[in-house]
Amino acid sequence: MKFRRSACIEPLYAELPFLDRFQAARNDGFDFVEFWNWTDKDLDAVRDAAERAGIGIAGFNGDAELSLIDPVQRADYLAFLRRSIAAAKRVGARSLTIHSNGLGEGGRVLNAYADLSDTVKLCAMYETLRACAALAEENGILLNLEPLNVTTDHPGNFLRTTRMAAEMTRLIGSPLLKVLYDVYHMQLNEGSLCDNIRAYGDQFGHIHIADAPGRHEPGTGEVHYPRVLDCLEEIGYTGLVGFELIPQTTTAEAVKAIQRL
């Protein structure tokens, strides 16, 4: 099976002006693009660039600096998510990515909430996610809940395992609340990639690929990506595979590695 591919055009094509990256990704055979933040973008220009290039927009982050696990932030979180949903509909994006903790510059976890117990964090996340799922269903926008690595890029992040994310989305049971399974993050946090794909892949709404360690293109680290993709095919995954990676040398060389994969 050939999965439809998405290029994250924040780290990929960074040598080009942002709006030129849509056409560059399409020229390299990508079906979709995705990016990190929407608040710093001209949304009309983004929509026009995608339409001119004939490429879809997979999505972007929907929660910025707000946190699912802080019960005090629930109303503000949902208010910002409504704005993000409106932005997604404005540019024709398929999905939004959401996280347990608020993230700052470079993905830095803004607050680990050491003063809150895991019980409070879990209950707050569950209740807010239920409300998020209702908003997703009202608007026809997929939400993907992403666990992040805590070893390298996001120390202090609460949601760090495939199991916790997938059990949370299963409990809520919405067709528009799924898990973003980032192979790079999960290799660093837990390994057992194929075992976790088989156990929880029914909850996956989007896949991210980068090799580990380093977060570069496949073939630069320890992950055997042909087997990972075979496993995704075996479980019947039909969603997008997004390449959210930092080229080891140039975008052109990274794209060659993606095309070989």
Side-chain angles (χ1 to χ4, degrees):
M1 176 180 178
K2 182 181 178 182
F3 294 106
R4 292 176 297 168
R5 299 180 303 167
S6 175
C8 183
I9 57 173
E10 302 271 12
L12 284 169
Y13 305 101
E15 68 276 10
L16 298 175
F18 184 76
L19 294 177
D20 292 344
R21 300 176 195 179
F22 294 79
Q23 187 64 60
R26 189 72 191 102
N27 292 345
D28 284 334
F30 290 101
D31 306 291
F32 291 84
V33 295
E34 55 193 87
F35 46 91
W36 290 329
N37 300 316
W38 65 267
T39 54
D40 60 351
K41 308 290 191 300
D42 180 332
L43 296 180
D44 292 334
V46 165
R47 182 194 61 227
D48 292 346
E51 289 177 353
R52 284 195 305 271
I55 197 166
I57 298 177
F60 43 80
N61 291 340
D63 49 12
E65 298 179 354
L66 295 162
S67 175
L68 283 170
I69 61 174
D70 181 355
V72 174
Q73 290 193 8
R74 184 173 188 269
D76 288 340
Y77 188 97
L78 294 171
F80 187 82
L81 182 61
R82 290 186 182 93
R83 292 177 57 206
S84 296
I85 288 172
K89 294 171 76 172
R90 185 169 171 182
V91 302
R94 294 158 50 99
S95 70
L96 295 170
T97 304
I98 56 178
H99 308 89
S100 63
N101 296 63
L103 303 176
E105 188 71 26
R108 177 177 60 87
V109 172
L110 296 176
N111 190 340
Y113 295 100
D115 57 320
L116 299 180
S117 69
D118 285 357
T119 302
V120 170
K121 293 173 184 176
L122 280 169
C123 290
M125 183 161 63
Y126 176 76
E127 288 300 324
T128 303
L129 282 173
R130 287 182 62 197
C132 291
L135 287 175
E137 291 174 15
E138 287 172 16
N139 290 277
I141 295 290
L142 175 64
L143 301 181
N144 290 310
L145 178 65
E146 183 179 24
L148 301 173
N149 83 75
V150 295
T151 65
T152 308
D153 302 296
H154 311 283
N157 197 68
F158 179 65
L159 183 61
R160 60 189 66 178
T161 67
T162 310
R163 179 178 181 178
M164 181 185 286
E167 289 183 342
M168 188 70 68
T169 59
R170 278 179 182 165
L171 282 170
I172 293 169
S174 169
L176 291 180
L177 177 64
K178 295 296 182 181
V179 174
L180 196 165
Y181 184 75
D182 188 307
V183 181
Y184 163 75
H185 288 308
M186 294 302 96
Q187 174 66 4
L188 293 179
N189 273 0
E190 62 189 14
S192 301
L193 298 174
C194 289
D195 286 345
N196 281 307
I197 289 170
R198 292 188 191 99
Y200 305 112
D202 63 297
Q203 292 300 302
F204 294 174
H206 195 70
I207 303 295
H208 271 170
I209 281 181
D211 218 330
R215 205 172 191 172
H216 303 308
E217 57 268 28
T220 59
E222 63 193 15
V223 178
H224 184 57
Y225 267 108
R227 184 68 194 99
V228 170
L229 293 177
D230 284 347
C231 191
L232 286 168
E233 183 174 358
E234 288 166 12
I235 66 161
Y237 177 75
T238 58
L240 302 183
V241 172
F243 292 84
E244 186 189 49
L245 57 87
I246 302 165
Q248 189 173 51
T249 55
T250 65
T251 296
E253 290 302 310
V255 168
K256 288 179 185 178
I258 292 167
Q259 291 170 339
R260 287 194 296 270
L261 181 66

